[in-house]
Amino acid sequence: MSGRARLMWDDAVTGYDFGDSHPMDPVRLALTMALVRAFGLDGAVDTRSAKAAGPSTLRLVHREDYVAAVRAASADPRAADQAYGIGTEDDPAFTGMHEVAALIAGLSVGAAEAVWRGETAHAVNFTGGLHHAMPGAASGFCVYNDPALAIARLLELGAERVAYVDVDVHHGDGVQAAFWEDPRVLTVSLHEHPSTLFPQTGWPEETGGGAGEGGAVNVALPAGTGDAGWLRAFHAVVPELLADFRPQVLVTQHGADTHFEDPLAHLAVSLDAQREVMSACHELAHAYAEDGRWVALGGGGYAVVDVVPRSWTHLVGIAAHAPVDPESVIPSSWRDEVYARTRQLGPARMTDGRVPSWKSWEDGYDPADRLDQAVLAARRAAFPLRGMLA
């Protein structure tokens, strides 16, 4: 394995732009890469671009008629067909949509290929994580489902066990759907409860179908869950599943929209807890995946100045074995760039000032506690199907 992590990046990804009033502002990507460089992490990683996902790759997950519809809307947004989820309020059509969405997908596929072939142990594409896109429709700001495409490419290359862990505030519905009946893929999603947040899926009873029964695990967290509950839920579910499944590759999605400042959701997680879960995923990859193979993706996140760049810069640092100290002062050059681009004042440090802690599940649970109820529901629904004790 190469000693340096792979960072997938191409300036053209900032063209994934649904318009000025849309919450998924591509400035979040530019500012993240600028912060990575401000901390010198670009010297600790091997930064690469990749080819856009072509027709044969996109067909691993998406229907040909859907790809054709995206191409048509990309060439002329007036041709957008809402039957395919394009041209809607969530997913407005824009010129060049196919090309930039395929590029982001290609970066995630390239990350997966590099890890599988042993070119690197860890690869990051924070521009990816677009986990809502379905085989035949755009959904939730997502045109092509790059996590599912990366996993499908790993399977095509010969992988027999791939684990996907999604900690975005929204349920990883598109990835779950893509591998619903595939026993080679374990999908685990921790998200805000579907009764209070899009896409209204991710109930604990969703456990996979057919040969894939028990291959989907959903932890539906009550609105308002903060650091202690979020970390408790993660550690009560994910390590046991990975220890049992022993994936050849671990793919993780790190949407930053769990944060208490995020405007589109209702969890109350700090940057420091997000960093803790990133570190845990890194450790779990080394503990349970073959040769530590880890593909880490971005995802949602709509506090585009205060949260997203700091969160994903931590992700890059952790993957590079060069973690950024949370107490680090953010370089003034980056804050100047923030102001120039957004007329906002950027954060001063790489921390929210929290010291994350949680109570281990092994110390017992409270059946009257809403958070513990969510964990119990997930374990009781899925673990026995995998031959594990709930």
Side-chain angles (χ1 to χ4, degrees):
M1 289 282 184
S2 167
R4 290 206 298 170
R6 180 74 53 87
L7 175 61
M8 309 304 294
W9 174 257
D10 191 303
D11 289 343
V13 296
T14 59
Y16 194 84
D17 188 352
F18 290 113
D20 291 343
S21 62
H22 197 280
M24 187 175 259
D25 188 337
V27 75
R28 70 196 192 122
L29 304 180
L31 290 178
T32 300
M33 193 62 196
L35 191 56
V36 166
R37 289 170 174 150
F39 276 107
L41 291 173
D42 53 329
V45 295
D46 179 13
T47 303
R48 302 279 187 98
S49 183
K51 293 181 180 178
S56 62
T57 298
L58 293 173
R59 281 199 300 271
L60 294 174
V61 170
H62 294 290
R63 298 198 319 247
E64 288 189 53
D65 60 315
Y66 171 61
V67 175
V70 175
R71 284 183 174 275
S74 182
D76 181 1
R78 295 171 299 179
D81 186 346
Q82 292 194 8
Y84 291 102
I86 310 165
T88 63
E89 183 177 355
D90 275 1
D91 298 278
F94 60 92
T95 302
M97 179 173 63
H98 164 77
E99 288 76 13
V100 68
L103 173 61
I104 291 171
L107 294 176
S108 290
V109 169
E113 290 174 342
V115 165
W116 181 254
R117 291 169 176 162
E119 297 170 15
T120 183
H122 308 329
V124 179
N125 176 25
F126 60 76
T127 75
L130 305 179
H131 58 171
H132 293 308
M134 293 293 176
S139 177
F141 314 162
C142 305
V143 177
Y144 294 137
N145 194 317
D146 64 282
L149 287 164
I151 294 168
R153 178 61 175 146
L154 288 168
L155 299 177
E156 187 178 50
L157 290 171
E160 297 176 347
R161 296 181 312 283
V162 180
Y164 173 74
V165 176
D166 188 320
V167 296
D168 193 289
V169 78
H170 302 92
H171 177 226
D173 57 339
V175 184
Q176 176 179 284
F179 304 105
W180 184 253
E181 296 186 352
D182 195 329
R184 298 173 296 175
V185 181
L186 170 68
T187 64
V188 187
S189 180
L190 285 82
H191 48 267
E192 184 179 329
H193 199 281
S195 65
T196 55
L197 194 66
F198 174 90
Q200 284 78 51
T201 59
W203 300 82
E205 295 79 14
E206 297 171 30
T207 55
E213 187 179 33
V217 183
N218 288 290
V219 187
L221 302 169
T225 297
D227 288 1
W230 194 63
L231 293 170
R232 176 169 167 80
F234 178 91
H235 288 284
V237 173
V238 176
E240 281 185 66
L241 287 167
L242 296 184
D244 174 74
F245 189 62
R246 296 280 171 171
Q248 291 164 292
V249 184
L250 175 62
V251 180
T252 58
Q253 196 267 23
H254 298 272
D257 43 10
T258 52
H259 196 272
F260 55 77
E261 287 187 10
D262 197 90
L264 299 189
H266 317 100
L267 296 192
V269 174
S270 72
L271 180 75
D272 303 284
Q274 291 178 346
R275 184 181 186 274
E276 171 63 35
V277 161
M278 293 168 186
S279 294
C281 288
H282 179 215
E283 293 168 6
L284 290 167
H286 280 292
Y288 299 122
E290 288 186 3
D291 300 316
R293 290 185 173 108
W294 180 32
V295 177
L297 308 173
Y302 309 100
V304 300
V305 170
D306 284 348
V307 178
V308 174
R310 292 190 297 161
S311 186
W312 292 345
T313 296
H314 277 306
L315 180 62
V316 173
I318 289 164
H321 297 129
V324 177
D325 187 334
E327 295 297 329
S328 298
V329 174
I330 293 176
S332 59
S333 60
W334 183 80
R335 299 183 75 211
D336 290 344
E337 182 168 350
V338 166
Y339 189 77
R341 285 178 174 269
T342 68
R343 291 298 185 264
Q344 296 182 44
L345 297 176
R349 293 181 181 272
M350 291 294 286
T351 178
D352 286 333
R354 309 287 179 86
V355 180
S357 64
W358 68 95
K359 182 181 177 183
S360 172
W361 191 254
E362 295 178 357
D363 295 335
Y365 59 85
D366 179 358
D369 181 82
R370 292 178 66 214
L371 186 282
D372 284 6
Q373 289 171 0
V375 173
L376 275 170
R379 291 176 63 99
R380 287 174 173 169
F383 277 36
L385 296 173
R386 306 196 61 78
M388 300 168 61
L389 294 176

